[in-house]
Amino acid sequence: MNSYFAAKQPEKAIAAANAQIARFPNNSNFYDLLGTALFNGRKDLPAAEAALRKAIELDKNNTDALEKLGKVQIQAGSADQALALYQQSIKDHPREVGFYILSGELFEAKQDWDHAKAMYQQALNIQSDNPLAANNLAYVMLQQGGNVDLALDMAQKARRGMPDSPNAADTLGWAYYQKGVYHSAIDLFQESLRLSDKVGAADDPTVHYHLGLAYQKTNQPAQARQHLEKALKINPNNADARKALAELRS
């Protein structure tokens, strides 16, 4: 199936999963694979959800299927349903770090910073060297106006653990920005954009917003305007970017 995906032949991957299910109809992992193929390859959310639910029905401890089911629900516009799933999964599998991180990200999307921070902290209590949990907790602390030095330390650890992550580069840059080390922040925001471009990911308006602010702090108004306008072009609802751009123009 991985070979078929690498060759951009998702239908053959789906067929391979279905062939195995025909031979072993009670195997949770094959339904998990089918759900993954339907989600990633065909973008068939209802069918992917049905397959993943079958995987969980056959094995309630299939945590991979539980994680993917939540991601399917998020794509289907049911983030609250996914959050409820992950919160129940935490109760059923209290040592699975992934459920805490996924819950934290959903709380973060709702700007429920306190619950997000609690989820990431619990993840780190279980696995202290988890770079994603450290990165996300650092970012939430920076958003909340928490201890910048502690957030910077966590962001540095996250960057070492995830050197190819655009998100980790942005978080560390944001920590440097909060510390007033603007040139280092600019370097990291630019690195975040380069890493996103390297993997073909879409431009992140938040990184452009951060970069615009950092250029503004270093008296480079043309570059600041360029990135703030880019942030607004990607996300016209970014009120912070709109405000910063208005201040730059005044």
Side-chain angles (χ1 to χ4, degrees), residues 31-78:
Y31 280 98
D32 188 357
L33 286 170
L34 175 61
T36 304
L38 289 165
F39 179 44
N40 293 333
R42 193 184 287 172
K43 309 300 181 186
D44 187 339
L45 301 183
E49 180 168 352
L52 292 167
R53 286 191 181 280
K54 182 65 175 180
I56 295 162
E57 176 188 322
L58 290 169
D59 180 8
K60 64 180 182 180
N61 294 316
N62 189 332
T63 55
D64 183 75
L66 284 164
E67 287 193 13
K68 287 174 181 171
L69 175 58
K71 291 176 181 178
V72 169
Q73 291 170 338
I74 292 166
Q75 285 294 309
S78 301

Side-chain angles (χ1 to χ4, degrees), residues 165-235:
S165 166
N167 197 15
D170 175 59
T171 299
L172 182 54
W174 194 228
Y176 277 127
Y177 177 90
Q178 300 292 341
K179 288 284 291 180
V181 188
Y182 301 120
H183 289 287
S184 294
I186 288 170
D187 289 343
L188 282 156
F189 296 144
Q190 290 175 334
E191 176 67 5
S192 177
L193 293 175
R194 281 194 293 269
L195 289 169
S196 290
D197 185 63
K198 184 178 178 180
V199 296
D203 263 357
D204 187 338
T206 300
V207 179
H208 284 288
Y209 167 62
H210 290 165
L211 190 49
L213 293 182
Y215 275 128
Q216 189 175 9
K217 289 290 188 181
T218 55
N219 296 314
Q220 300 181 74
Q223 292 91 328
R225 186 178 299 107
Q226 175 189 346
H227 287 282
L228 291 171
E229 287 176 346
K230 180 73 171 179
L232 277 172
K233 183 178 180 181
I234 301 169
N235 178 17

Side-chain angles (χ1 to χ4, degrees), residues 1 11-25 30-31 33-35 37-38 42 51:
M1 288 181 67
E11 294 304 319
K12 288 187 176 181
I14 292 168
N18 278 319
Q20 288 301 102
I21 287 170
R23 295 179 62 200
F24 306 99
F30 291 143
Y31 280 98
L33 286 170
L34 175 61
L38 289 165
R42 193 184 287 172

